[in-house]
Amino acid sequence: MPARALNFGAGPSALPESVLRQAGEGLLNFQDTGIGIAEISHRSKEFKTYLQGVESDIRKLLKVPNSHAILFTQGGGSAQFSAVVLNMLARHHERYPALEPEQRVMDYVITGSWSDKATKEARRLGGGTVNVVADSRKFSAQGKFDNIPSHKNDAYKFSKNPVLIYYCANETVDGVEFAREEGNETSFPFHLLPEDSPLVGDYSSSFMSHPIPRLQNHAIIYAGVQKNLGPAGLTVLIVRKDCIVDVDKAAQNGAIPIPLCTAYRTLADHQSLYNTPPVLSIYISGLVLRQMMLEFGEDAMEKYAALSASKSAKVYDALKRGEQKGVFKSKVRNDSGSQMNVVFDVVGEGKLDQFIAGTEARNMKGLRGHRSVGGVRVSLYNAISESQVQTLVDYMIEFVEAESAVAQ
């Protein structure tokens, strides 16, 4: 069998090799049932018990309070662009049945491709009006998603009594991320939020890599697991229980009818088993969670946050060295760079292809940037070790020195 590649791809991402080996055993025989995990009934007592364990581990690791339910569904983060709008409009109709659609305002913070798509979906669905709280392109000299707006420049214009306030914690395509430390001027401006704000956080590409700031103050947090937790197919929802409403009753009050499989009430009432869930993805995600707990205990998120900071610092240091030599060019402002997805350009005609060819020759994969922006994207999810990062950093420096020598 060929050596496993170093997978720096943005998703589906690398998974721990030890977990993949356990998963292989489970494909043949899940918990001594004699049936593989991909074959067993999702209504079997063994799988139901396993699913409860996955929920329990997420609750422990992220310190999720009892005020919030943990739900499992399909469709990825993109399906939640719609589900969030529909469920939160239903809640708003339940609370304020007499309001007109134009009085139901949905606040969106746009910092990259994914939050831009979420905003467009809210507009497409209708049922309310969309207020763009901030758009980072307005704070870019090139009109690009290359920054997180600062608290200090009066960038954020929140509505009073909004249906929801949406933000994307980490923009996987554009390589920008809200600072994880509160008080930093590029952290999410929790202190500017209206009282009792129904806050919605898309944490797809940084989920389970660090503690979520003010988790208890969110109405909804959602994440596709295919970055730090498991294979594609599973979406985890953390929903405050007052946001799980009777959507049919809301529809009678004028809300947009919601498909049953999109309604949070359906998921909650059936313990995420209304229909067949992505069983294999849940299984492997559970194995990853268990490894986290075994390795670092219930404080694993703090440990992974430290590792994330260390790994990204190494890449940014190499990137800075390349910029000083005129070989690399960062795509984002220095105070806005993501710890999960580092993006940059290679300067010079044909040099990007040359750089990527060098990574491929060294068995490093997935480093070409998203098709919409190009360049290089280095994804540093949990399963990427510090030694693997060092392998990439060594090559980056080697490339920089070689190009500098040619230029001289």
Side-chain angles (χ1 to χ4, degrees):
M1 180 178 176
R4 280 177 55 78
L6 305 189
N7 179 9
F8 291 96
S13 64
L15 288 167
E17 187 170 340
S18 60
V19 165
L20 294 175
R21 294 186 184 281
Q22 290 179 68
E25 295 174 5
L27 280 168
L28 294 172
N29 186 1
F30 172 62
Q31 296 191 341
D32 295 325
T33 59
I35 302 174
I37 185 62
E39 306 163 290
I40 199 165
S41 169
H42 61 291
R43 303 198 186 281
S44 66
K45 68 179 188 300
E46 291 87 0
F47 182 74
K48 286 182 178 180
T49 299
Y50 189 86
L51 182 62
Q52 291 166 2
V54 174
E55 176 185 340
S56 176
D57 285 347
I58 292 173
R59 190 174 294 278
K60 289 174 184 175
L61 288 167
L62 288 177
K63 312 295 191 291
V64 180
N66 290 330
S67 56
H68 289 63
I70 298 176
L71 308 172
F72 303 96
T73 188
Q74 303 173 56
S78 295
Q80 292 306 307
F81 295 164
S82 309
V84 160
V85 169
L86 297 175
N87 281 275
M88 294 305 282
L89 277 172
R91 176 180 183 266
H92 210 254
H93 274 271
E94 185 180 77
R95 293 190 164 204
Y96 311 103
L99 294 182
E100 296 297 323
E102 60 270 18
Q103 295 174 292
R104 304 186 191 279
V105 182
M106 295 172 279
D107 278 3
Y108 279 78
V109 179
I110 304 178
T111 52
S113 300
W114 293 116
S115 49
D116 189 38
K117 287 183 178 182
T119 306
K120 290 174 180 175
E121 178 65 356
R123 287 199 181 103
R124 191 187 73 83
L125 289 173
T129 60
V130 171
N131 170 51
V132 176
V133 172
D135 188 328
S136 66
R137 288 170 292 193
K138 294 181 178 180
F139 302 93
S140 165
Q142 294 79 34
K144 295 181 178 181
F145 292 126
D146 59 8
N147 71 94
I148 296 292
S150 168
H151 302 170
K152 296 182 178 180
N153 56 19
D154 199 29
Y156 295 88
K157 307 292 185 183
F158 293 104
S159 305
K160 294 181 179 179
N161 190 31
V163 174
L164 62 92
I165 299 172
Y166 166 95
Y167 74 103
C168 180
N170 180 75
E171 291 281 2
T172 325
V173 171
D174 305 282
V176 296
E177 181 179 17
F178 283 97
R180 298 178 183 183
E181 306 79 21
E182 286 196 55
N184 188 307
E185 66 181 84
T186 57
S187 63
F188 187 81
F190 295 106
H191 63 290
L192 299 179
L193 293 173
E195 189 175 354
D196 298 323
S197 300
L199 187 60
V200 176
D202 177 351
Y203 272 80
S204 288
S205 51
S206 60
F207 189 64
M208 302 308 300
S209 70
H210 66 101
I212 295 177
R214 300 205 194 188
L215 184 151
Q216 71 279 5
N217 297 133
H218 286 72
I220 301 167
I221 290 166
Y222 67 84
V225 304
Q226 67 275 13
K227 311 295 185 179
N228 290 295
L229 186 55
L234 174 64
T235 306
V236 178
L237 307 171
I238 301 173
V239 183
R240 201 171 65 217
K241 291 176 182 176
D242 68 277
C243 298
I244 300 173
V245 301
D246 186 335
V247 296
D248 291 332
K249 181 179 178 182
Q252 293 172 5
N253 290 330
I256 302 172
I258 304 179
L260 279 176
C261 289
T262 311
Y264 297 154
R265 171 67 69 189
T266 304
L267 294 170
D269 285 351
H270 295 85
Q271 293 78 51
S272 301
L273 294 171
Y274 176 76
N275 64 330
T276 308
V279 173
L280 181 60
S281 186
I282 289 170
Y283 175 59
I284 296 177
S285 297
L287 295 179
V288 173
L289 289 165
R290 183 50 43 189
Q291 178 166 302
M292 288 181 179
M293 297 280 278
L294 290 172
E295 190 171 3
F296 294 124
E298 293 186 14
D299 293 326
M301 289 301 93
E302 288 77 6
K303 301 291 187 181
Y304 277 106
L307 286 169
S308 178
S310 174
K311 291 186 294 186
S312 61
K314 290 180 180 180
V315 177
Y316 280 114
D317 285 347
L319 172 56
K320 184 177 181 180
R321 183 168 174 174
E323 287 191 293
Q324 291 170 343
K325 300 274 191 174
V327 177
F328 298 145
K329 181 174 175 54
S330 176
K331 287 178 172 286
V332 303
R333 202 171 67 193
N334 288 338
D335 62 357
S336 304
S338 167
Q339 290 189 25
M340 290 283 99
N341 311 100
V342 181
V343 296
F344 60 93
D345 286 320
V346 184
V347 178
E349 186 176 352
K351 295 300 181 181
L352 171 62
D353 289 340
Q354 183 181 332
F355 179 85
I356 294 296
T359 65
E360 295 275 350
R362 291 161 177 79
N363 206 25
M364 293 183 282
K365 307 286 187 181
L367 284 157
R368 194 176 288 275
H370 191 272
R371 62 187 179 279
S372 65
V373 295
V376 177
R377 174 170 54 176
V378 182
S379 296
L380 301 170
Y381 301 126
N382 287 351
I384 297 295
S385 68
E386 288 194 281
S387 64
Q388 290 173 332
V389 172
Q390 190 61 52
T391 299
L392 172 62
V393 166
D394 289 344
Y395 169 65
M396 290 174 68
I397 294 171
E398 176 188 330
F399 186 86
V400 167
E401 296 307 318
E403 290 299 305
S404 300
V406 169
Q408 291 174 357

